[in-house]
Amino acid sequence: KAGVTQTPRYLIKTRGQQVTLSCSPISGHRSVSWYQQTPGQGLQFLFEYFSETQRNKGNFPGRFSGRQFSNSRSEMNVSTLELGDSALYLCASSLEAGHLSSYEQYFGPGTRLTVT
Amino acid sequence: KNQVEQSPQSLIILEGKNCTLQCNYTVSPFSNLRWYKQDTGRGPVSLTIMTFSENTKSNGRYTATLDADTKQSSLHITASQLSDSASYICVVSEDSGGSNNKLTFGKGTLLTVNP
């Protein structure tokens, strides 16, 4: 079974631009969660989608948004990029909602975003 | 405020030795606690998931313990190998009874295993 894939793997953007990241979950998984990881803050939860609906949201500004398609693929968008948005963005998939249950979450390799 | 504190921040051990990583949390009400291993440049990989009723769980050379009364968990690595060099992250899920359950992450322990 193919794992979680994320594209692109690396991205360099300029402050003020916007960016869209993509995540394809493991086949059959319906939940996709997004995380931001920085050296200073560690892993921080952005949001979770399940059956095309946002089920859970972390404490990030509205510039961070996402969506999930009927095939469970998910995209994350960051508008008006700031220098502090430079981070590794990880997505994870699970069979069901990852926080409420004990289902395993499987992480992708991440997208390394650099904002200059 | 929910917090997850991990210690030590970093640890260096010799190959073949055992080690124990600690995770203390204040998350309440508690749903589950997960330990992840993250190799440099890769996404985290789940090692164990424990719910309230579980106090020990093993995954090969990795054994996690949970004391829900004292809100402490530990991850014990036996007979360490060079490939165990990674960051180990403790994550606690809050059970708020609805769909808005929150995850609280520790900042991780960076383990280096030297030959």
Side-chain angles (χ1 to χ4, degrees), chain B:
Chain B
K1 182 184 174 185
N2 288 336
Q3 287 188 308
V4 174
E5 301 284 345
Q6 290 188 245
S7 61
Q9 201 170 5
S10 61
L11 183 61
I12 301 173
I13 62 173
L14 290 175
E15 187 179 10
K17 297 296 186 185
N18 303 336
C19 68
T20 300
L21 314 181
Q22 298 289 345
C23 173
N24 296 341
Y25 62 93
T26 62
V27 175
S28 181
F30 173 87
S31 176
N32 59 71
L33 183 147
R34 304 161 189 242
W35 281 95
Y36 288 95
K37 177 189 177 192
Q38 185 174 22
D39 293 315
T40 302
R42 300 191 140 189
V45 174
S46 177
L47 294 174
T48 61
I49 302 173
M50 288 186 291
T51 57
F52 186 87
S53 59
E54 298 170 300
N55 52 26
T56 301
K57 205 157 208 184
S58 290
N59 178 358
R61 294 180 297 103
Y62 300 100
T63 299
T65 65
L66 173 65
D67 185 334
D69 291 331
T70 62
K71 298 188 177 178
Q72 296 180 324
S73 176
S74 65
L75 181 69
H76 186 75
I77 304 174
T78 305
S80 61
Q81 300 176 357
L82 298 179
S83 59
D84 292 332
S85 296
S87 182
Y88 291 84
I89 302 168
C90 174
V91 184
V92 182
S93 176
E94 172 192 345
D95 181 2
S96 55
S99 62
N100 199 32
N101 283 18
K102 301 242 183 266
L103 286 181
T104 306
F105 292 83
K107 296 209 169 152
T109 291
L110 181 61
L111 175 66
T112 302
V113 181
N114 286 334

Side-chain angles (χ1 to χ4, degrees), chain A residues 80-108:
Chain A
T80 320
L81 283 165
E82 301 177 359
L83 295 178
D85 296 333
S86 294
L88 179 68
Y89 290 88
L90 293 158
C91 84
S93 77
S94 62
L95 279 170
E96 300 290 341
H99 308 166
L100 296 175
S101 71
S102 297
Y103 277 109
E104 293 273 4
Q105 275 196 315
Y106 296 86
F107 281 81

Side-chain angles (χ1 to χ4, degrees), chain A residues 18-77:
Chain A
Q18 73 156 15
V19 68
T20 299
L21 312 181
S22 180
C23 172
S24 292
I26 292 172
S27 177
H29 284 195
R30 297 190 293 166
S31 171
V32 173
S33 298
W34 287 91
Y35 301 86
Q36 182 195 66
Q37 188 175 36
T38 59
Q41 298 297 319
L43 264 169
Q44 296 183 87
F45 171 69
L46 280 156
F47 29 67
E48 177 187 20
Y49 285 87
F50 180 79
S51 293
E52 302 179 65
T53 302
Q54 188 179 89
R55 288 283 300 270
N56 210 340
K57 189 176 186 305
N59 297 322
F60 277 80
R63 298 185 298 108
F64 293 81
S65 63
R67 60 177 174 168
Q68 187 179 34
F69 302 94
S70 58
N71 61 359
S72 293
R73 190 177 70 85
S74 177
E75 287 182 346
M76 190 193 92
N77 185 274

